[in-house]
Amino acid sequence: MIRNILKETTPIMFGYVPMGMTFGLLFQDLGYPWYFATLMGLFIFAGAAQFMAIGLLSTGAGLTEVFISTFMLNSRHIFYGLSILDKYGKWGLRKLYLIFGLTDETYSLVTTIKIPNKVNEQDYYFFITMFNQAYWVLGCTLGVLIGGVVEFNTQGMDFALTALFIVLVIEQWKNIRDILPFAIATLSSIFVLYFFKDQMLIGSILLSLSILLIIRAIKNKSYG
Amino acid sequence: MADNSYLIVFILVMTVATVTTRLLPFVIFQKQSKHPMMSYIAKYTPPMIMSILVLYVLKNVDFTSPTSLNTIFAIVVTVVVHIWKKNSLLSIFSGTFLYMYLVQQ
């Protein structure tokens, strides 16, 4: 099982380690003890939010502002959870950890990959989430400790996440063989990119979900 | 001298805000998970989100500039290798290593 999980999560390692290192490097400039970068990876575990944190910390933002801006930034996750309500199994510590660790990349993996036979689903998802977090925490820590010292050119390595999402779109297509969700999402994204570029993720998700539900309502009506 | 106690509270606030977004749907809608509308959402949301994420990570690529050819070339290689070999790891690495090579010239 671990071999499989390593294989599934390696692309995420290629994205998370250099991205975490970039975070660590930026964090270093704030002047806090290094281990806080590790703690942020362990507790917050949200890439975009941690990058936003650098800006908020450097201006000494108020805590209400921190809460609201983090909530807004991560509000897309509400729709991730909504679409995998039953996937994570029975309530317990494992499920709580799975929900805690529901990043864009983890969501993409667990909704696309097929689980090997005779493997407990919750265990499998648990290890995927844990490996992903380990890569992220490792990246954050390496960045703050050796980011400025070691000269290893990781430029372009983050393309791994772009490639991962592209491959997952192809795999989703193989699973569902229906152009509808891809068309809705693409048109919505282009529309939102054009008019509300700064709110692209949540804007596109809200718009495509609305269109999807409208289409469902129309279909139901015409059958009913 | 940076203020450690401010940072500790800051981290906690950001943690709670993030966890809230991830936990909320499970707390509110778990009981409705068998509702036909929820199965409909569960079926169509992952491909929609995946498509949106692809466009999201590409949104800052300036397709009018010649440097975007690096991105386009790496994407084409990723897609072709994936359709040809059906091996995710291989396709992702082919695209990524090609991209790294191109941008580090």
Side-chain angles (χ1 to χ4, degrees):
Chain A
M1 180 163 85
I2 298 297
R3 256 183 72 116
N4 269 318
I5 288 166
L6 259 177
K7 206 178 129 213
E8 301 280 14
T9 59
T10 304
I12 295 183
M13 177 175 78
F14 269 65
Y16 276 12
V17 172
M19 210 160 66
M21 285 179 73
T22 311
F23 165 79
L25 254 174
L26 294 169
F27 184 81
Q28 202 179 34
D29 292 339
L30 295 173
Y32 290 105
W34 67 270
Y35 49 84
F36 278 113
T38 311
L39 287 176
M40 287 174 82
L42 277 174
F43 281 91
I44 304 173
F45 190 30
Q50 282 178 236
F51 279 101
M52 185 179 71
I54 307 273
L56 292 172
L57 283 169
S58 61
T59 58
L63 295 173
T64 317
E65 189 192 342
V66 173
F67 185 89
I68 293 173
S69 47
T70 309
F71 187 89
M72 297 297 283
L73 182 67
N74 285 329
S75 51
R76 65 184 183 282
H77 293 142
I78 293 174
F79 302 98
Y80 294 8
L82 197 63
S83 66
I84 54 167
L85 289 172
D86 282 338
K87 205 174 197 57
Y88 278 171
K90 288 200 168 65
W91 282 101
L93 276 180
R94 290 211 155 186
K95 180 160 177 167
L96 283 176
Y97 177 71
L98 285 169
I99 294 171
F100 160 81
L102 191 61
T103 60
D104 296 332
E105 291 75 14
T106 306
Y107 171 81
S108 306
L109 266 193
V110 301
T111 50
T112 311
I113 55 166
K114 295 193 173 52
I115 300 219
N117 293 331
K118 295 183 182 174
V119 169
N120 178 297
E121 284 191 14
Q122 208 180 33
D123 287 349
Y124 202 74
Y125 297 142
F126 179 81
F127 283 114
I128 285 185
T129 309
M130 205 173 72
F131 273 57
N132 288 347
Q133 186 169 21
Y135 305 142
W136 177 248
V137 173
L138 179 74
C140 295
T141 310
L142 282 178
V144 79
L145 288 180
I146 59 162
V149 187
V150 176
E151 282 290 324
F152 171 58
N153 198 347
T154 58
Q155 195 199 344
M157 208 194 245
D158 55 348
F159 186 84
L161 292 180
T162 307
L164 172 73
F165 291 139
I166 289 171
V167 162
L168 293 177
V169 164
I170 301 175
E171 291 301 311
Q172 283 286 341
W173 166 253
K174 289 183 185 166
N175 290 346
I176 189 165
R177 298 269 172 194
D178 182 348
I179 193 78
L180 184 73
F182 302 97
I184 295 177
T186 306
L187 294 176
S188 307
S189 301
I190 292 169
F191 178 82
V192 174
L193 260 179
Y194 196 77
F195 291 103
F196 316 94
K197 193 175 179 180
D198 295 337
Q199 299 299 329
M200 191 235 169
L201 276 179
I202 187 65
S204 313
I205 292 172
L206 280 174
L207 182 60
S208 30
L209 205 57
S210 314
I211 297 176
L212 183 77
L213 292 177
I214 291 170
I215 290 180
R216 179 176 181 267
I218 295 171
K219 273 187 186 168
N220 280 354
K221 212 174 179 181
S222 58
Y223 291 142
Chain B
M1 177 66 200
D3 180 1
N4 287 355
S5 53
Y6 167 69
L7 180 59
I8 292 169
V9 182
F10 181 101
I11 293 175
L12 287 177
V13 168
M14 211 168 224
T15 304
V16 171
T18 303
V19 168
T20 307
T21 62
R22 293 176 181 168
L23 189 62
L24 214 56
F26 290 93
V27 172
I28 299 176
F29 294 107
Q30 185 81 78
K31 287 201 175 77
Q32 277 83 43
S33 71
K34 302 289 182 239
H35 189 282
M37 187 154 96
M38 285 302 171
S39 345
Y40 189 77
I41 289 175
K43 182 181 170 196
Y44 285 113
T45 305
M48 286 198 321
I49 299 221
M50 234 64 75
S51 314
I52 292 169
L53 285 171
V54 169
L55 296 168
Y56 176 75
V57 291
L58 295 175
K59 77 175 163 127
N60 289 324
V61 178
D62 176 9
F63 285 101
T64 58
S65 135
T67 54
S68 70
L69 285 173
N70 297 335
T71 313
I72 296 171
F73 199 28
I75 291 174
V76 170
V77 167
T78 307
V79 171
V80 169
V81 172
H82 193 67
I83 292 170
W84 176 35
K85 289 290 183 185
K86 298 187 174 64
N87 177 333
S88 304
L89 213 49
L90 184 69
S91 20
I92 291 165
F93 283 158
S94 319
T96 306
F97 290 137
L98 173 68
Y99 185 76
M100 286 176 76
Y101 173 77
L102 291 173
V103 297
Q104 290 186 13
Q105 294 285 307

